[in-house]
Amino acid sequence: MYRILFTSVLSRLDPERAHHLAFDVIRALPAVGLSKLTRRLTRPTVDLSVDTLGLHFDTPFGLAAGFDKDGEAVLGLGALGFGHVEVGTLTAHSQPGNPKRRLFRLVPDRAVINRMGFNNGGAASAARRLARVRNVPGRPVLGVNIGKSRVVGVDAAIADYLTSTRLLAPVADYLVVNVSSPNTPGLRGLQELDKLEPLLAAVKDAAGATPLLVKIAPDLTDDEVRRIAELAVEVDLDGIIATNTTISRAGLSTPAAVIETAGAGGLSGAPLAARSLEVLRLIRATVPPSLCVISVGGVESGADVAERLAAGATLVQGYTAFLYRGPLWARQINRELSRLASVS
């Protein structure tokens, strides 16, 4: 049914408009009293739980940052079957993001190009909202992803991240430093080791007891991935998220004219799967087994999630396939993982 709805209606809407329509429905689930019923229908049918970061995850599959930028639909998303929900990217200063249009579907590739630009209402506003969610029974694990405000130069990035950290670490189950979005000028330069080490050390100190992870780009070289993984261990991070969107357009099936119209931005979805898996294996070969590694990029099915777990991922996230698979996507993955677990 969702495939028919997507083909006949949603695919004809502007992608950002379609996102907001779906988001409003998901956000309303708790308000209309459907959360508990929905959760019973979407949770795993066997024990898939994972304990990591000092936290308990009912399922290894969660929602990546970018869908719920301001933490407005955490409870509704948890009801749909995601074991954890990572909100953001949030910045110290509220900002509108890049001019529209800024979100584009590449349907033949089951992919998306976005240049949203960290549009969000700011860390302080989100912190107040998330504080109300934090003590709700049965909520999903709550991750908070933070980035650099656009109005702040790279030289002042540490202070900017620290503002967000101090506001959001107290209401987060885990915190993520995003230095890998291609849509904020200068941000990816923070992945250079001489800039990344002092940033991560400062945020780690400010975050206190809240577990801290760093999210990296797929466009790093293999050697750069290894060096950042080693740095994560050196500064005593709790984990790494791999990977963010890519600036590559290699191997796409979508007509070149459509890709050119979409323009600059990060590509996510199925074309990212192979590189994301490569980066996961590089990281897992570099870091100790105790370090949490969250794999994201091109994940669509339960088999994809199982492959990432077998390759060393502690947890797995998805996002783009939500657009193509619909609101029961997490349920489908949980049920497929449950079947795979039952026969193993």
PDB file of all heavy atoms in Angstrom, residues 296-325:
ATOM      1  N   VAL A 296      25.978   3.332   9.502  1.00  0.00           N
ATOM      2  CA  VAL A 296      24.852   3.965   8.822  1.00  0.00           C
ATOM      3  C   VAL A 296      25.276   4.299   7.395  1.00  0.00           C
ATOM      4  O   VAL A 296      26.412   4.691   7.151  1.00  0.00           O
ATOM      5  CB  VAL A 296      24.374   5.224   9.583  1.00  0.00           C
ATOM      6  CG1 VAL A 296      25.504   6.214   9.793  1.00  0.00           C
ATOM      7  CG2 VAL A 296      23.214   5.906   8.865  1.00  0.00           C
ATOM      8  N   GLY A 297      24.340   4.108   6.469  1.00  0.00           N
ATOM      9  CA  GLY A 297      24.619   4.425   5.074  1.00  0.00           C
ATOM     10  C   GLY A 297      24.203   3.301   4.150  1.00  0.00           C
ATOM     11  O   GLY A 297      24.839   2.250   4.114  1.00  0.00           O
ATOM     12  N   GLY A 298      23.096   3.480   3.448  1.00  0.00           N
ATOM     13  CA  GLY A 298      22.644   2.495   2.484  1.00  0.00           C
ATOM     14  C   GLY A 298      21.945   1.296   3.083  1.00  0.00           C
ATOM     15  O   GLY A 298      21.743   0.293   2.405  1.00  0.00           O
ATOM     16  N   VAL A 299      21.540   1.384   4.343  1.00  0.00           N
ATOM     17  CA  VAL A 299      20.859   0.269   5.001  1.00  0.00           C
ATOM     18  C   VAL A 299      19.371   0.318   4.655  1.00  0.00           C
ATOM     19  O   VAL A 299      18.725   1.341   4.842  1.00  0.00           O
ATOM     20  CB  VAL A 299      21.048   0.351   6.532  1.00  0.00           C
ATOM     21  CG1 VAL A 299      20.190  -0.676   7.237  1.00  0.00           C
ATOM     22  CG2 VAL A 299      22.512   0.184   6.886  1.00  0.00           C
ATOM     23  N   GLU A 300      18.829  -0.799   4.174  1.00  0.00           N
ATOM     24  CA  GLU A 300      17.412  -0.799   3.811  1.00  0.00           C
ATOM     25  C   GLU A 300      16.651  -1.999   4.369  1.00  0.00           C
ATOM     26  O   GLU A 300      15.479  -1.878   4.713  1.00  0.00           O
ATOM     27  CB  GLU A 300      17.244  -0.752   2.290  1.00  0.00           C
ATOM     28  CG  GLU A 300      15.798  -0.665   1.868  1.00  0.00           C
ATOM     29  CD  GLU A 300      15.607  -0.144   0.448  1.00  0.00           C
ATOM     30  OE1 GLU A 300      16.542   0.459  -0.105  1.00  0.00           O
ATOM     31  OE2 GLU A 300      14.504  -0.335  -0.102  1.00  0.00           O
ATOM     32  N   SER A 301      17.282  -3.150   4.489  1.00  0.00           N
ATOM     33  CA  SER A 301      16.576  -4.370   4.889  1.00  0.00           C
ATOM     34  C   SER A 301      17.152  -4.954   6.170  1.00  0.00           C
ATOM     35  O   SER A 301      18.248  -4.560   6.619  1.00  0.00           O
ATOM     36  CB  SER A 301      16.687  -5.413   3.778  1.00  0.00           C
ATOM     37  OG  SER A 301      18.037  -5.847   3.655  1.00  0.00           O
ATOM     38  N   GLY A 302      16.433  -5.931   6.724  1.00  0.00           N
ATOM     39  CA  GLY A 302      16.961  -6.640   7.874  1.00  0.00           C
ATOM     40  C   GLY A 302      18.252  -7.358   7.541  1.00  0.00           C
ATOM     41  O   GLY A 302      19.165  -7.449   8.380  1.00  0.00           O
ATOM     42  N   ALA A 303      18.359  -7.871   6.318  1.00  0.00           N
ATOM     43  CA  ALA A 303      19.597  -8.526   5.890  1.00  0.00           C
ATOM     44  C   ALA A 303      20.759  -7.537   5.876  1.00  0.00           C
ATOM     45  O   ALA A 303      21.896  -7.887   6.233  1.00  0.00           O
ATOM     46  CB  ALA A 303      19.410  -9.145   4.508  1.00  0.00           C
ATOM     47  N   ASP A 304      20.490  -6.289   5.465  1.00  0.00           N
ATOM     48  CA  ASP A 304      21.528  -5.255   5.496  1.00  0.00           C
ATOM     49  C   ASP A 304      21.994  -5.002   6.923  1.00  0.00           C
ATOM     50  O   ASP A 304      23.195  -4.869   7.190  1.00  0.00           O
ATOM     51  CB  ASP A 304      21.000  -3.942   4.912  1.00  0.00           C
ATOM     52  CG  ASP A 304      20.695  -4.021   3.426  1.00  0.00           C
ATOM     53  OD1 ASP A 304      21.292  -4.872   2.743  1.00  0.00           O
ATOM     54  OD2 ASP A 304      19.851  -3.231   2.967  1.00  0.00           O
ATOM     55  N   VAL A 305      21.044  -4.916   7.844  1.00  0.00           N
ATOM     56  CA  VAL A 305      21.399  -4.683   9.247  1.00  0.00           C
ATOM     57  C   VAL A 305      22.219  -5.855   9.774  1.00  0.00           C
ATOM     58  O   VAL A 305      23.246  -5.678  10.434  1.00  0.00           O
ATOM     59  CB  VAL A 305      20.135  -4.480  10.103  1.00  0.00           C
ATOM     60  CG1 VAL A 305      20.501  -4.372  11.580  1.00  0.00           C
ATOM     61  CG2 VAL A 305      19.384  -3.228   9.654  1.00  0.00           C
ATOM     62  N   ALA A 306      21.784  -7.086   9.462  1.00  0.00           N
ATOM     63  CA  ALA A 306      22.510  -8.269   9.918  1.00  0.00           C
ATOM     64  C   ALA A 306      23.925  -8.296   9.354  1.00  0.00           C
ATOM     65  O   ALA A 306      24.873  -8.700  10.045  1.00  0.00           O
ATOM     66  CB  ALA A 306      21.748  -9.529   9.506  1.00  0.00           C
ATOM     67  N   GLU A 307      24.087  -7.868   8.104  1.00  0.00           N
ATOM     68  CA  GLU A 307      25.424  -7.819   7.501  1.00  0.00           C
ATOM     69  C   GLU A 307      26.322  -6.845   8.241  1.00  0.00           C
ATOM     70  O   GLU A 307      27.508  -7.135   8.493  1.00  0.00           O
ATOM     71  CB  GLU A 307      25.317  -7.422   6.024  1.00  0.00           C
ATOM     72  CG  GLU A 307      26.655  -7.369   5.307  1.00  0.00           C
ATOM     73  CD  GLU A 307      26.531  -6.926   3.865  1.00  0.00           C
ATOM     74  OE1 GLU A 307      25.653  -6.078   3.570  1.00  0.00           O
ATOM     75  OE2 GLU A 307      27.304  -7.422   3.030  1.00  0.00           O
ATOM     76  N   ARG A 308      25.783  -5.681   8.611  1.00  0.00           N
ATOM     77  CA  ARG A 308      26.589  -4.697   9.347  1.00  0.00           C
ATOM     78  C   ARG A 308      26.970  -5.235  10.729  1.00  0.00           C
ATOM     79  O   ARG A 308      28.100  -5.044  11.189  1.00  0.00           O
ATOM     80  CB  ARG A 308      25.830  -3.381   9.487  1.00  0.00           C
ATOM     81  CG  ARG A 308      25.413  -2.726   8.182  1.00  0.00           C
ATOM     82  CD  ARG A 308      26.600  -2.362   7.297  1.00  0.00           C
ATOM     83  NE  ARG A 308      26.150  -1.887   5.994  1.00  0.00           N
ATOM     84  CZ  ARG A 308      25.987  -0.604   5.667  1.00  0.00           C
ATOM     85  NH1 ARG A 308      26.248   0.335   6.570  1.00  0.00           N
ATOM     86  NH2 ARG A 308      25.591  -0.263   4.460  1.00  0.00           N
ATOM     87  N   LEU A 309      26.030  -5.904  11.389  1.00  0.00           N
ATOM     88  CA  LEU A 309      26.322  -6.462  12.708  1.00  0.00           C
ATOM     89  C   LEU A 309      27.403  -7.536  12.597  1.00  0.00           C
ATOM     90  O   LEU A 309      28.326  -7.594  13.418  1.00  0.00           O
ATOM     91  CB  LEU A 309      25.053  -7.033  13.333  1.00  0.00           C
ATOM     92  CG  LEU A 309      23.944  -6.014  13.661  1.00  0.00           C
ATOM     93  CD1 LEU A 309      22.678  -6.741  14.096  1.00  0.00           C
ATOM     94  CD2 LEU A 309      24.391  -5.023  14.742  1.00  0.00           C
ATOM     95  N   ALA A 310      27.320  -8.361  11.563  1.00  0.00           N
ATOM     96  CA  ALA A 310      28.320  -9.403  11.360  1.00  0.00           C
ATOM     97  C   ALA A 310      29.697  -8.819  11.043  1.00  0.00           C
ATOM     98  O   ALA A 310      30.730  -9.421  11.360  1.00  0.00           O
ATOM     99  CB  ALA A 310      27.883 -10.342  10.233  1.00  0.00           C
ATOM    100  N   ALA A 311      29.707  -7.626  10.428  1.00  0.00           N
ATOM    101  CA  ALA A 311      30.962  -6.964  10.090  1.00  0.00           C
ATOM    102  C   ALA A 311      31.546  -6.185  11.264  1.00  0.00           C
ATOM    103  O   ALA A 311      32.610  -5.575  11.122  1.00  0.00           O
ATOM    104  CB  ALA A 311      30.756  -6.032   8.899  1.00  0.00           C
ATOM    105  N   GLY A 312      30.852  -6.183  12.397  1.00  0.00           N
ATOM    106  CA  GLY A 312      31.417  -5.557  13.589  1.00  0.00           C
ATOM    107  C   GLY A 312      30.684  -4.355  14.119  1.00  0.00           C
ATOM    108  O   GLY A 312      31.124  -3.747  15.102  1.00  0.00           O
ATOM    109  N   ALA A 313      29.562  -3.993  13.506  1.00  0.00           N
ATOM    110  CA  ALA A 313      28.790  -2.862  14.038  1.00  0.00           C
ATOM    111  C   ALA A 313      28.161  -3.253  15.369  1.00  0.00           C
ATOM    112  O   ALA A 313      27.674  -4.375  15.539  1.00  0.00           O
ATOM    113  CB  ALA A 313      27.705  -2.447  13.060  1.00  0.00           C
ATOM    114  N   THR A 314      28.166  -2.322  16.285  1.00  0.00           N
ATOM    115  CA  THR A 314      27.482  -2.530  17.560  1.00  0.00           C
ATOM    116  C   THR A 314      25.995  -2.242  17.396  1.00  0.00           C
ATOM    117  O   THR A 314      25.144  -2.957  17.929  1.00  0.00           O
ATOM    118  CB  THR A 314      28.070  -1.598  18.633  1.00  0.00           C
ATOM    119  OG1 THR A 314      29.499  -1.591  18.560  1.00  0.00           O
ATOM    120  CG2 THR A 314      27.627  -2.023  20.028  1.00  0.00           C
ATOM    121  N   LEU A 315      25.700  -1.164  16.679  1.00  0.00           N
ATOM    122  CA  LEU A 315      24.344  -0.739  16.358  1.00  0.00           C
ATOM    123  C   LEU A 315      24.321  -0.323  14.901  1.00  0.00           C
ATOM    124  O   LEU A 315      25.371  -0.078  14.287  1.00  0.00           O
ATOM    125  CB  LEU A 315      23.916   0.440  17.237  1.00  0.00           C
ATOM    126  CG  LEU A 315      23.927   0.249  18.753  1.00  0.00           C
ATOM    127  CD1 LEU A 315      23.810   1.600  19.458  1.00  0.00           C
ATOM    128  CD2 LEU A 315      22.801  -0.680  19.185  1.00  0.00           C
ATOM    129  N   VAL A 316      23.119  -0.213  14.341  1.00  0.00           N
ATOM    130  CA  VAL A 316      22.956   0.187  12.940  1.00  0.00           C
ATOM    131  C   VAL A 316      21.868   1.248  12.869  1.00  0.00           C
ATOM    132  O   VAL A 316      20.862   1.174  13.592  1.00  0.00           O
ATOM    133  CB  VAL A 316      22.581  -1.020  12.057  1.00  0.00           C
ATOM    134  CG1 VAL A 316      22.434  -0.597  10.597  1.00  0.00           C
ATOM    135  CG2 VAL A 316      23.621  -2.129  12.188  1.00  0.00           C
ATOM    136  N   GLN A 317      22.071   2.229  12.008  1.00  0.00           N
ATOM    137  CA  GLN A 317      21.080   3.282  11.789  1.00  0.00           C
ATOM    138  C   GLN A 317      20.679   3.342  10.323  1.00  0.00           C
ATOM    139  O   GLN A 317      21.439   2.961   9.434  1.00  0.00           O
ATOM    140  CB  GLN A 317      21.633   4.655  12.191  1.00  0.00           C
ATOM    141  CG  GLN A 317      21.901   4.832  13.663  1.00  0.00           C
ATOM    142  CD  GLN A 317      22.486   6.198  13.971  1.00  0.00           C
ATOM    143  OE1 GLN A 317      22.999   6.902  13.088  1.00  0.00           O
ATOM    144  NE2 GLN A 317      22.423   6.588  15.228  1.00  0.00           N
ATOM    145  N   GLY A 318      19.497   3.859  10.082  1.00  0.00           N
ATOM    146  CA  GLY A 318      19.035   4.133   8.728  1.00  0.00           C
ATOM    147  C   GLY A 318      18.302   5.457   8.685  1.00  0.00           C
ATOM    148  O   GLY A 318      17.974   6.033   9.727  1.00  0.00           O
ATOM    149  N   TYR A 319      18.059   5.925   7.470  1.00  0.00           N
ATOM    150  CA  TYR A 319      17.289   7.156   7.304  1.00  0.00           C
ATOM    151  C   TYR A 319      16.627   7.193   5.931  1.00  0.00           C
ATOM    152  O   TYR A 319      15.402   7.173   5.809  1.00  0.00           O
ATOM    153  CB  TYR A 319      18.188   8.370   7.523  1.00  0.00           C
ATOM    154  CG  TYR A 319      17.549   9.724   7.246  1.00  0.00           C
ATOM    155  CD1 TYR A 319      16.189   9.863   7.002  1.00  0.00           C
ATOM    156  CD2 TYR A 319      18.315  10.881   7.223  1.00  0.00           C
ATOM    157  CE1 TYR A 319      15.609  11.097   6.743  1.00  0.00           C
ATOM    158  CE2 TYR A 319      17.743  12.122   6.984  1.00  0.00           C
ATOM    159  CZ  TYR A 319      16.392  12.222   6.732  1.00  0.00           C
ATOM    160  OH  TYR A 319      15.824  13.441   6.484  1.00  0.00           O
ATOM    161  N   THR A 320      17.411   7.176   4.862  1.00  0.00           N
ATOM    162  CA  THR A 320      16.880   7.427   3.523  1.00  0.00           C
ATOM    163  C   THR A 320      15.818   6.405   3.121  1.00  0.00           C
ATOM    164  O   THR A 320      14.812   6.763   2.493  1.00  0.00           O
ATOM    165  CB  THR A 320      18.021   7.441   2.501  1.00  0.00           C
ATOM    166  OG1 THR A 320      18.952   8.470   2.873  1.00  0.00           O
ATOM    167  CG2 THR A 320      17.506   7.713   1.099  1.00  0.00           C
ATOM    168  N   ALA A 321      16.006   5.148   3.488  1.00  0.00           N
ATOM    169  CA  ALA A 321      15.026   4.130   3.102  1.00  0.00           C
ATOM    170  C   ALA A 321      13.682   4.339   3.775  1.00  0.00           C
ATOM    171  O   ALA A 321      12.668   3.787   3.319  1.00  0.00           O
ATOM    172  CB  ALA A 321      15.563   2.735   3.421  1.00  0.00           C
ATOM    173  N   PHE A 322      13.635   5.128   4.840  1.00  0.00           N
ATOM    174  CA  PHE A 322      12.367   5.491   5.470  1.00  0.00           C
ATOM    175  C   PHE A 322      11.444   6.125   4.436  1.00  0.00           C
ATOM    176  O   PHE A 322      10.234   5.872   4.402  1.00  0.00           O
ATOM    177  CB  PHE A 322      12.657   6.472   6.610  1.00  0.00           C
ATOM    178  CG  PHE A 322      11.632   6.502   7.710  1.00  0.00           C
ATOM    179  CD1 PHE A 322      11.815   7.333   8.805  1.00  0.00           C
ATOM    180  CD2 PHE A 322      10.493   5.718   7.676  1.00  0.00           C
ATOM    181  CE1 PHE A 322      10.893   7.378   9.844  1.00  0.00           C
ATOM    182  CE2 PHE A 322       9.551   5.758   8.708  1.00  0.00           C
ATOM    183  CZ  PHE A 322       9.757   6.596   9.784  1.00  0.00           C
ATOM    184  N   LEU A 323      12.031   6.946   3.573  1.00  0.00           N
ATOM    185  CA  LEU A 323      11.265   7.634   2.527  1.00  0.00           C
ATOM    186  C   LEU A 323      10.691   6.634   1.525  1.00  0.00           C
ATOM    187  O   LEU A 323       9.552   6.779   1.061  1.00  0.00           O
ATOM    188  CB  LEU A 323      12.193   8.629   1.816  1.00  0.00           C
ATOM    189  CG  LEU A 323      11.652   9.527   0.713  1.00  0.00           C
ATOM    190  CD1 LEU A 323      12.522  10.778   0.614  1.00  0.00           C
ATOM    191  CD2 LEU A 323      11.667   8.822  -0.641  1.00  0.00           C
ATOM    192  N   TYR A 324      11.474   5.600   1.199  1.00  0.00           N
ATOM    193  CA  TYR A 324      11.065   4.654   0.169  1.00  0.00           C
ATOM    194  C   TYR A 324      10.264   3.478   0.710  1.00  0.00           C
ATOM    195  O   TYR A 324       9.495   2.863  -0.033  1.00  0.00           O
ATOM    196  CB  TYR A 324      12.306   4.139  -0.579  1.00  0.00           C
ATOM    197  CG  TYR A 324      12.967   5.210  -1.417  1.00  0.00           C
ATOM    198  CD1 TYR A 324      14.150   5.822  -0.996  1.00  0.00           C
ATOM    199  CD2 TYR A 324      12.404   5.641  -2.609  1.00  0.00           C
ATOM    200  CE1 TYR A 324      14.758   6.814  -1.752  1.00  0.00           C
ATOM    201  CE2 TYR A 324      12.993   6.634  -3.375  1.00  0.00           C
ATOM    202  CZ  TYR A 324      14.175   7.214  -2.942  1.00  0.00           C
ATOM    203  OH  TYR A 324      14.763   8.213  -3.692  1.00  0.00           O
ATOM    204  N   ARG A 325      10.445   3.145   1.987  1.00  0.00           N
ATOM    205  CA  ARG A 325       9.772   1.973   2.564  1.00  0.00           C
ATOM    206  C   ARG A 325       8.562   2.322   3.418  1.00  0.00           C
ATOM    207  O   ARG A 325       7.718   1.465   3.677  1.00  0.00           O
ATOM    208  CB  ARG A 325      10.766   1.163   3.408  1.00  0.00           C
ATOM    209  CG  ARG A 325      11.926   0.582   2.619  1.00  0.00           C
ATOM    210  CD  ARG A 325      11.516  -0.563   1.726  1.00  0.00           C
ATOM    211  NE  ARG A 325      11.181  -1.749   2.506  1.00  0.00           N
ATOM    212  CZ  ARG A 325      12.050  -2.693   2.834  1.00  0.00           C
ATOM    213  NH1 ARG A 325      13.323  -2.596   2.463  1.00  0.00           N
ATOM    214  NH2 ARG A 325      11.659  -3.748   3.533  1.00  0.00           N
TER     215      ARG A 325
END
